[in-house]
mmCIF file of all heavy atoms in Angstrom:
data_model
loop_
_atom_site.group_PDB
_atom_site.id
_atom_site.type_symbol
_atom_site.label_atom_id
_atom_site.label_comp_id
_atom_site.label_asym_id
_atom_site.label_seq_id
_atom_site.Cartn_x
_atom_site.Cartn_y
_atom_site.Cartn_z
ATOM 1 N N PRO A 163 -35.885 26.266 36.500
ATOM 2 C CA PRO A 163 -35.482 24.914 36.489
ATOM 3 C C PRO A 163 -35.938 24.012 35.358
ATOM 4 O O PRO A 163 -35.573 22.904 35.253
ATOM 5 C CB PRO A 163 -35.897 24.385 37.840
ATOM 6 C CG PRO A 163 -37.030 25.137 38.128
ATOM 7 C CD PRO A 163 -37.000 26.488 37.553
ATOM 8 N N GLU A 164 -36.984 24.513 34.660
ATOM 9 C CA GLU A 164 -37.587 23.860 33.478
ATOM 10 C C GLU A 164 -38.174 24.924 32.656
ATOM 11 O O GLU A 164 -38.566 25.974 33.084
ATOM 12 C CB GLU A 164 -38.589 22.922 33.965
ATOM 13 C CG GLU A 164 -39.829 23.521 34.596
ATOM 14 C CD GLU A 164 -41.036 22.518 34.864
ATOM 15 O OE1 GLU A 164 -40.884 21.299 34.721
ATOM 16 O OE2 GLU A 164 -42.114 23.047 35.276
ATOM 17 N N ALA A 166 -40.956 24.563 30.862
ATOM 18 C CA ALA A 166 -42.357 24.289 30.730
ATOM 19 C C ALA A 166 -43.290 25.491 31.315
ATOM 20 O O ALA A 166 -44.131 25.863 30.633
ATOM 21 C CB ALA A 166 -42.708 23.072 31.442
ATOM 22 N N ARG A 196 -30.360 23.813 37.289
ATOM 23 C CA ARG A 196 -30.603 23.108 38.576
ATOM 24 C C ARG A 196 -29.452 22.833 39.431
ATOM 25 O O ARG A 196 -28.373 22.433 38.859
ATOM 26 C CB ARG A 196 -31.233 21.762 38.327
ATOM 27 C CG ARG A 196 -32.551 21.823 37.620
ATOM 28 C CD ARG A 196 -33.100 20.377 37.287
ATOM 29 N NE ARG A 196 -34.290 20.576 36.432
ATOM 30 C CZ ARG A 196 -35.114 19.616 35.955
ATOM 31 N NH1 ARG A 196 -34.844 18.420 36.323
ATOM 32 N NH2 ARG A 196 -36.110 19.872 35.167
ATOM 33 N N GLU A 198 -27.953 20.730 41.017
ATOM 34 C CA GLU A 198 -27.959 19.379 41.284
ATOM 35 C C GLU A 198 -26.867 18.994 42.404
ATOM 36 O O GLU A 198 -25.807 19.571 42.362
ATOM 37 C CB GLU A 198 -27.545 18.552 40.056
ATOM 38 C CG GLU A 198 -28.438 18.791 38.768
ATOM 39 C CD GLU A 198 -29.647 17.911 38.971
ATOM 40 O OE1 GLU A 198 -29.880 17.266 39.898
ATOM 41 O OE2 GLU A 198 -30.485 17.945 37.853
ATOM 42 N N ILE A 205 -21.981 15.291 30.192
ATOM 43 C CA ILE A 205 -22.975 16.148 29.919
ATOM 44 C C ILE A 205 -24.306 15.553 30.316
ATOM 45 O O ILE A 205 -25.350 16.060 30.046
ATOM 46 C CB ILE A 205 -22.989 16.666 28.545
ATOM 47 C CG1 ILE A 205 -22.926 15.670 27.544
ATOM 48 C CG2 ILE A 205 -21.928 17.742 28.315
ATOM 49 C CD1 ILE A 205 -23.065 16.108 26.132
ATOM 50 N N PHE A 206 -24.296 14.366 30.952
ATOM 51 C CA PHE A 206 -25.510 13.738 31.369
ATOM 52 C C PHE A 206 -26.335 14.487 32.377
ATOM 53 O O PHE A 206 -27.532 14.782 32.226
ATOM 54 C CB PHE A 206 -25.255 12.348 31.877
ATOM 55 C CG PHE A 206 -26.545 11.551 32.299
ATOM 56 C CD1 PHE A 206 -27.286 10.922 31.271
ATOM 57 C CD2 PHE A 206 -26.947 11.543 33.572
ATOM 58 C CE1 PHE A 206 -28.467 10.273 31.569
ATOM 59 C CE2 PHE A 206 -28.203 10.875 33.790
ATOM 60 C CZ PHE A 206 -28.915 10.244 32.800
ATOM 61 N N ARG A 207 -25.739 14.879 33.411
ATOM 62 C CA ARG A 207 -26.368 15.640 34.503
ATOM 63 C C ARG A 207 -25.456 16.892 34.852
ATOM 64 O O ARG A 207 -24.404 16.833 35.450
ATOM 65 C CB ARG A 207 -26.679 14.880 35.685
ATOM 66 C CG ARG A 207 -27.464 15.600 36.845
ATOM 67 C CD ARG A 207 -27.759 14.700 37.936
ATOM 68 N NE ARG A 207 -28.144 13.386 37.795
ATOM 69 C CZ ARG A 207 -29.357 12.963 37.380
ATOM 70 N NH1 ARG A 207 -30.267 13.848 37.222
ATOM 71 N NH2 ARG A 207 -29.587 11.713 37.351
ATOM 72 N N THR A 208 -25.902 18.076 34.407
ATOM 73 C CA THR A 208 -25.244 19.302 34.633
ATOM 74 C C THR A 208 -26.033 20.344 35.353
ATOM 75 O O THR A 208 -27.180 20.064 35.561
ATOM 76 C CB THR A 208 -24.743 19.822 33.188
ATOM 77 O OG1 THR A 208 -25.925 19.990 32.520
ATOM 78 C CG2 THR A 208 -23.700 19.003 32.569
ATOM 79 N N ARG A 209 -25.430 21.408 35.789
ATOM 80 C CA ARG A 209 -26.224 22.389 36.539
ATOM 81 C C ARG A 209 -26.904 23.320 35.556
ATOM 82 O O ARG A 209 -27.789 24.152 35.927
ATOM 83 C CB ARG A 209 -25.309 23.115 37.463
ATOM 84 C CG ARG A 209 -25.051 22.053 38.479
ATOM 85 C CD ARG A 209 -24.401 22.760 39.802
ATOM 86 N NE ARG A 209 -24.348 21.821 40.976
ATOM 87 C CZ ARG A 209 -23.151 21.442 41.459
ATOM 88 N NH1 ARG A 209 -21.978 21.792 41.014
ATOM 89 N NH2 ARG A 209 -23.161 20.495 42.373
ATOM 90 N N PHE A 211 -28.366 23.464 31.617
ATOM 91 C CA PHE A 211 -28.556 22.476 30.498
ATOM 92 C C PHE A 211 -29.695 23.073 29.565
ATOM 93 O O PHE A 211 -30.203 24.035 29.939
ATOM 94 C CB PHE A 211 -28.849 21.105 30.859
ATOM 95 C CG PHE A 211 -29.985 21.007 31.831
ATOM 96 C CD1 PHE A 211 -31.225 20.695 31.497
ATOM 97 C CD2 PHE A 211 -29.848 21.289 33.283
ATOM 98 C CE1 PHE A 211 -32.374 20.595 32.286
ATOM 99 C CE2 PHE A 211 -30.811 21.146 34.091
ATOM 100 C CZ PHE A 211 -32.121 20.830 33.769
ATOM 101 N N GLN A 213 -33.261 22.418 27.546
ATOM 102 C CA GLN A 213 -34.409 21.424 27.268
ATOM 103 C C GLN A 213 -35.148 21.657 26.130
ATOM 104 O O GLN A 213 -35.143 22.814 25.623
ATOM 105 C CB GLN A 213 -35.415 21.616 28.551
ATOM 106 C CG GLN A 213 -34.926 21.121 29.873
ATOM 107 C CD GLN A 213 -35.971 21.162 30.981
ATOM 108 O OE1 GLN A 213 -36.750 22.209 31.013
ATOM 109 N NE2 GLN A 213 -36.139 20.064 31.731
ATOM 110 N N GLU A 215 -38.874 21.199 25.210
ATOM 111 C CA GLU A 215 -40.224 20.638 25.776
ATOM 112 C C GLU A 215 -41.315 21.143 24.885
ATOM 113 O O GLU A 215 -41.357 22.107 24.333
ATOM 114 C CB GLU A 215 -40.361 21.318 27.062
ATOM 115 C CG GLU A 215 -39.272 20.860 28.144
ATOM 116 C CD GLU A 215 -39.615 21.162 29.625
ATOM 117 O OE1 GLU A 215 -39.864 22.325 29.841
ATOM 118 O OE2 GLU A 215 -39.618 20.218 30.354
ATOM 119 N N GLN A 217 -45.562 21.143 25.224
ATOM 120 C CA GLN A 217 -46.791 20.889 26.044
ATOM 121 C C GLN A 217 -48.031 20.869 25.145
ATOM 122 O O GLN A 217 -48.275 21.797 24.343
ATOM 123 C CB GLN A 217 -46.927 22.127 26.978
ATOM 124 C CG GLN A 217 -45.702 22.538 27.726
ATOM 125 C CD GLN A 217 -45.216 21.414 28.663
ATOM 126 O OE1 GLN A 217 -45.846 20.676 29.270
ATOM 127 N NE2 GLN A 217 -43.885 21.369 28.794
ATOM 128 N N TYR A 263 -47.358 16.504 40.003
ATOM 129 C CA TYR A 263 -48.429 16.983 38.975
ATOM 130 C C TYR A 263 -48.862 15.920 37.929
ATOM 131 O O TYR A 263 -49.702 16.098 37.119
ATOM 132 C CB TYR A 263 -47.727 18.090 38.163
ATOM 133 C CG TYR A 263 -46.244 17.713 37.490
ATOM 134 C CD1 TYR A 263 -46.331 16.797 36.414
ATOM 135 C CD2 TYR A 263 -45.246 18.148 37.960
ATOM 136 C CE1 TYR A 263 -45.089 16.433 35.905
ATOM 137 C CE2 TYR A 263 -43.921 17.754 37.558
ATOM 138 C CZ TYR A 263 -43.927 17.001 36.496
ATOM 139 O OH TYR A 263 -42.704 16.476 35.974
ATOM 140 N N GLU A 280 -32.543 7.791 32.234
ATOM 141 C CA GLU A 280 -33.560 8.659 31.662
ATOM 142 C C GLU A 280 -33.055 9.590 30.462
ATOM 143 O O GLU A 280 -32.017 10.289 30.671
ATOM 144 C CB GLU A 280 -34.192 9.565 32.734
ATOM 145 C CG GLU A 280 -35.202 10.429 32.134
ATOM 146 C CD GLU A 280 -35.904 11.431 33.059
ATOM 147 O OE1 GLU A 280 -35.715 11.155 34.322
ATOM 148 O OE2 GLU A 280 -36.430 12.521 32.806
ATOM 149 N N LEU A 281 -33.694 9.511 29.357
ATOM 150 C CA LEU A 281 -33.336 10.402 28.311
ATOM 151 C C LEU A 281 -34.363 11.531 28.146
ATOM 152 O O LEU A 281 -34.069 12.678 27.940
ATOM 153 C CB LEU A 281 -33.182 9.439 27.099
ATOM 154 C CG LEU A 281 -33.000 10.224 25.724
ATOM 155 C CD1 LEU A 281 -31.658 10.899 25.663
ATOM 156 C CD2 LEU A 281 -32.850 9.057 24.542
ATOM 157 N N GLU A 282 -35.590 11.042 28.213
ATOM 158 C CA GLU A 282 -36.698 12.035 27.936
ATOM 159 C C GLU A 282 -37.989 11.536 28.785
ATOM 160 O O GLU A 282 -38.145 10.333 29.143
ATOM 161 C CB GLU A 282 -37.223 11.841 26.472
ATOM 162 C CG GLU A 282 -38.442 12.433 26.100
ATOM 163 C CD GLU A 282 -38.660 12.916 24.619
ATOM 164 O OE1 GLU A 282 -37.688 12.642 23.881
ATOM 165 O OE2 GLU A 282 -39.778 13.476 24.300
ATOM 166 N N GLY A 283 -38.693 12.444 29.216
ATOM 167 C CA GLY A 283 -39.939 12.110 29.843
ATOM 168 C C GLY A 283 -41.141 12.551 29.194
ATOM 169 O O GLY A 283 -41.235 13.597 28.440
ATOM 170 N N HIS A 285 -45.162 13.023 30.056
ATOM 171 C CA HIS A 285 -45.984 13.049 31.342
ATOM 172 C C HIS A 285 -47.375 13.426 30.992
ATOM 173 O O HIS A 285 -47.639 14.350 30.022
ATOM 174 C CB HIS A 285 -45.522 14.132 32.267
ATOM 175 C CG HIS A 285 -44.017 13.960 32.544
ATOM 176 N ND1 HIS A 285 -43.082 14.968 32.267
ATOM 177 C CD2 HIS A 285 -43.271 12.937 32.925
ATOM 178 C CE1 HIS A 285 -41.888 14.556 32.534
ATOM 179 N NE2 HIS A 285 -41.992 13.415 32.905
ATOM 180 N N ARG A 287 -49.865 15.657 32.686
ATOM 181 C CA ARG A 287 -49.876 16.513 33.806
ATOM 182 C C ARG A 287 -51.232 16.997 34.282
ATOM 183 O O ARG A 287 -51.344 17.960 35.052
ATOM 184 C CB ARG A 287 -48.963 17.710 33.541
ATOM 185 C CG ARG A 287 -47.643 17.400 33.112
ATOM 186 C CD ARG A 287 -46.807 18.616 32.770
ATOM 187 N NE ARG A 287 -46.600 19.384 34.054
ATOM 188 C CZ ARG A 287 -45.404 19.835 34.571
ATOM 189 N NH1 ARG A 287 -44.303 19.378 33.919
ATOM 190 N NH2 ARG A 287 -45.287 20.593 35.554
ATOM 191 N N GLU A 320 -47.183 16.405 28.298
ATOM 192 C CA GLU A 320 -45.848 16.982 28.096
ATOM 193 C C GLU A 320 -44.717 15.996 27.617
ATOM 194 O O GLU A 320 -44.734 14.839 27.948
ATOM 195 C CB GLU A 320 -45.335 17.486 29.488
ATOM 196 C CG GLU A 320 -43.852 17.856 29.484
ATOM 197 C CD GLU A 320 -43.326 18.359 30.897
ATOM 198 O OE1 GLU A 320 -43.265 17.464 31.738
ATOM 199 O OE2 GLU A 320 -43.145 19.523 31.056
ATOM 200 N N SER A 322 -40.642 15.991 27.229
ATOM 201 C CA SER A 322 -39.517 16.857 27.769
ATOM 202 C C SER A 322 -38.102 16.020 27.635
ATOM 203 O O SER A 322 -37.946 15.089 28.272
ATOM 204 C CB SER A 322 -39.776 17.150 29.182
ATOM 205 O OG SER A 322 -38.525 17.934 29.670
ATOM 206 N N VAL A 323 -37.314 16.555 26.745
ATOM 207 C CA VAL A 323 -36.042 15.867 26.535
ATOM 208 C C VAL A 323 -34.904 16.846 26.718
ATOM 209 O O VAL A 323 -34.992 18.117 26.236
ATOM 210 C CB VAL A 323 -35.944 15.185 25.161
ATOM 211 C CG1 VAL A 323 -36.175 16.110 24.017
ATOM 212 C CG2 VAL A 323 -34.666 14.548 24.884
ATOM 213 N N GLY A 324 -33.865 16.533 27.292
ATOM 214 C CA GLY A 324 -32.641 17.377 27.577
ATOM 215 C C GLY A 324 -31.889 17.278 26.247
ATOM 216 O O GLY A 324 -31.616 16.332 25.677
ATOM 217 N N ASP A 326 -28.844 18.293 25.661
ATOM 218 C CA ASP A 326 -27.505 17.849 25.850
ATOM 219 C C ASP A 326 -27.502 16.246 26.071
ATOM 220 O O ASP A 326 -26.643 15.584 25.579
ATOM 221 C CB ASP A 326 -26.947 18.405 27.228
ATOM 222 C CG ASP A 326 -27.142 19.846 27.225
ATOM 223 O OD1 ASP A 326 -28.261 20.351 27.637
ATOM 224 O OD2 ASP A 326 -26.210 20.649 26.866
ATOM 225 N N ARG A 327 -28.505 15.852 26.687
ATOM 226 C CA ARG A 327 -28.701 14.267 26.926
ATOM 227 C C ARG A 327 -28.928 13.667 25.594
ATOM 228 O O ARG A 327 -28.531 12.517 25.348
ATOM 229 C CB ARG A 327 -29.607 14.002 27.987
ATOM 230 C CG ARG A 327 -29.266 12.983 28.987
ATOM 231 C CD ARG A 327 -30.229 12.798 29.982
ATOM 232 N NE ARG A 327 -29.986 13.498 31.245
ATOM 233 C CZ ARG A 327 -30.497 13.340 32.396
ATOM 234 N NH1 ARG A 327 -31.749 12.572 32.385
ATOM 235 N NH2 ARG A 327 -30.242 14.045 33.523
HETATM 236 N N1 GAP B 501 -40.850 19.795 32.557
HETATM 237 C C1 GAP B 501 -40.597 18.466 33.022
HETATM 238 C C2 GAP B 501 -39.186 18.300 33.457
HETATM 239 O O1 GAP B 501 -38.423 19.088 33.470
HETATM 240 P P1 GAP B 501 -37.555 16.489 34.131
HETATM 241 O O2 GAP B 501 -37.689 14.860 34.085
HETATM 242 O O3 GAP B 501 -37.080 16.939 35.505
HETATM 243 O O4 GAP B 501 -38.878 16.944 33.669
HETATM 244 C C3 GAP B 501 -36.783 16.495 31.541
HETATM 245 O O5 GAP B 501 -36.504 16.851 32.957
HETATM 246 C C4 GAP B 501 -35.375 16.223 30.893
HETATM 247 O O6 GAP B 501 -34.571 17.187 31.024
HETATM 248 C C5 GAP B 501 -34.871 14.971 31.365
HETATM 249 O O7 GAP B 501 -35.361 13.822 30.797
HETATM 250 C C6 GAP B 501 -33.410 15.108 30.838
HETATM 251 O O8 GAP B 501 -33.294 14.700 29.527
HETATM 252 C C7 GAP B 501 -33.168 16.590 31.104
HETATM 253 N N2 GAP B 501 -32.526 17.054 32.213
HETATM 254 C C8 GAP B 501 -33.145 17.128 33.510
HETATM 255 N N3 GAP B 501 -32.203 17.416 34.428
HETATM 256 C C9 GAP B 501 -31.012 17.583 33.721
HETATM 257 C C10 GAP B 501 -29.638 17.911 34.217
HETATM 258 N N4 GAP B 501 -29.338 18.124 35.410
HETATM 259 N N5 GAP B 501 -28.666 17.852 33.185
HETATM 260 C C11 GAP B 501 -28.955 17.555 31.927
HETATM 261 N N6 GAP B 501 -30.224 17.319 31.644
HETATM 262 C C12 GAP B 501 -31.204 17.245 32.429
#
Side-chain angles (χ1 to χ4, degrees):
E164 62 172 11
R196 295 181 190 180
E198 299 278 3
I205 51 174
F206 180 81
R207 191 183 309 285
T208 53
R209 294 196 167 112
F211 54 98
Q213 286 188 316
E215 296 198 302
Q217 314 294 326
Y263 52 75
E280 176 184 343
L281 176 58
E282 168 155 2
H285 312 124
R287 302 183 63 125
E320 166 182 70
S322 175
V323 58
D326 313 79
R327 224 176 258 188

